[in-house]
Each structure stands twice: as C-alpha cells, then as structure tokens.
Amino acid sequence: MTTHTTTDAEDGTTVGGDVVDSGGAVTDRASRVDRIRDAVITVLGIVGIITIAWLIAAWLFGLSLVVFVTGSMTPTMPVGAAAISQTTAAADLEVGDVVTVTRPDTGQPVTHRIVAIDTVTTSADARELTLQGDDNDFADTQTYRVDEAPRVLVSAPGVGSVVLWAQTPIVMIAGSILIASAIAWALWPTGNRREDAEPDEA
C-alpha cells in the first residue's frame, strides 16, 4: 500500500498523510478574542441602558439620589447609605416620611424624618415641617417651610460610599479612559471581520 503525503503552505501541513490545519490555534485564539469582545460590548450596552433609563426616570418622575455622609439617620440609613427620593408636594407629605430640605441658615441640605406638619396661613400649598434624625434625641431646632420636598422612597446601605468613590476626579478620569479604550477595542476590526467585509475574488 502506498501512502501519499501532500504539503500545502497555505492550507496547512501534513503528517503521515493526515492534513493538520496550522491555522487552527490562531482561529481558536481569534474566537476567544471575539467572545471577549462581545462580552465587553454587552456589558457596556447594559451600563448604557441602565444610565439612560435612570436619567429618563429621574426627569419624568422627579427622582434624585441622596447619599448619607453623617450618622443622624442611623440605624435606618447609616453613613454610606444611598436613597432614591422623589419630589413630592408639601400637601402630600406625612409624618414619618424622610425628606431632604435646605437649612435656612447655612443653605446645606439635610435629610431627616418628619415628626410634625403645620399648615401655613399665607399659602395653601406650603407646609411647616419639624424634622428629627432617627439617631437624634431631639428634633431640629428650626422648622422648614416648603412647597415641595424630595421624599425618600427606598434606601440601601453601602451604595452611597460607592457613588462618592465613583465621583472622585481620579476615578472619573480613569473610568472615562477605560470606557473609551474598551469601546475602541470592541469596535476595532479583527482579521475575521476584515475577511468577511472583503468581497470574494472570482
């Protein structure tokens, strides 16, 4: 019996008459790179969708994000917690709601629980709020007159620390560079894509 051996420099090499594809390893590596590329695109797409969805919801429903940097609302909302608030008319606020108001003396925001609500004779829409932090023994010394205020809908511990960390200049710059690099890498044409894009020669 005669065994014929054929060698083709373009298609592969042969050993003992069996053809071995020398480009197989390269193809496997290209496939892995394509899978990683697809995963990166998917993650970026999910992050983008979540971001856009939040911006639209915040605009439509008056939502905002509150980060707790003091312990006055411990243990309900400890330091580092984050909460989603919705702008609510003063007439719809109730005792027990947690709202964010502005201190008249310093202009700084404060997020505390409503312990008393009084009407304002000069305005049917306004309310005079008395607030107290859950960890405080006494109510705030000053009251707050509001026509509307962000009311906390839901909170989560620890999330605020991540938000504050993500807003630091170094992290924002590094994140922007990382996202830009990931997008460029994800969209950069591979050999397989170039081959698919090129028309077959007759």
Side-chain angles (χ1 to χ4, degrees):
M1 183 181 350
T2 303
T3 302
H4 297 282
T5 300
T6 305
T7 302
D8 191 328
E10 294 180 354
D11 298 335
T13 58
T14 62
V15 178
D18 296 328
V19 177
V20 179
D21 186 2
S22 61
V26 176
T27 302
D28 291 340
R29 285 195 298 271
S31 298
R32 285 196 294 271
V33 170
D34 286 341
R35 287 195 294 269
I36 296 173
R37 186 190 302 269
D38 292 340
V40 170
I41 294 175
T42 300
V43 171
L44 292 176
I46 292 174
V47 172
I49 291 173
I50 293 175
T51 301
I52 293 173
W54 164 253
L55 292 175
I56 293 175
W59 176 63
L60 289 177
F61 303 108
L63 303 180
S64 58
L65 188 65
V66 179
V67 177
F68 292 85
V69 296
T70 67
S72 62
M73 286 299 294
T74 303
T76 311
M77 301 168 195
V79 175
I84 296 178
S85 299
Q86 183 179 34
T87 300
T88 305
D92 295 329
L93 297 175
E94 300 177 354
V95 172
D97 289 339
V98 177
V99 296
T100 299
V101 296
T102 302
R103 293 187 184 276
D105 52 349
T106 64
Q108 297 296 318
V110 58
T111 304
H112 281 170
R113 193 177 302 278
I114 300 175
V115 294
I117 302 176
D118 296 314
T119 58
V120 177
T121 56
T122 57
S123 175
D125 297 328
R127 295 293 186 273
E128 196 84 16
L129 306 180
T130 301
L131 306 182
Q132 181 177 342
D134 288 356
D135 194 47
N136 296 343
D137 295 330
F138 304 98
D140 297 357
T141 56
Q142 55 190 337
T143 58
Y144 308 91
R145 176 176 171 173
V146 299
D147 293 319
E148 61 181 17
R151 177 173 56 186
V152 171
L153 300 178
V154 63
S155 65
V159 177
S161 298
V162 177
V163 173
L164 293 178
W165 173 79
Q167 290 178 341
T168 58
I170 294 178
V171 174
M172 292 184 68
I173 293 173
S176 299
I177 294 174
L178 180 61
I179 292 174
S181 300
I183 292 175
W185 178 70
L187 298 179
W188 194 267
T190 62
N192 291 339
R193 292 183 180 181
R194 286 194 295 266
E195 291 176 0
D196 293 340
E198 292 177 357
D200 296 334
E201 295 183 359

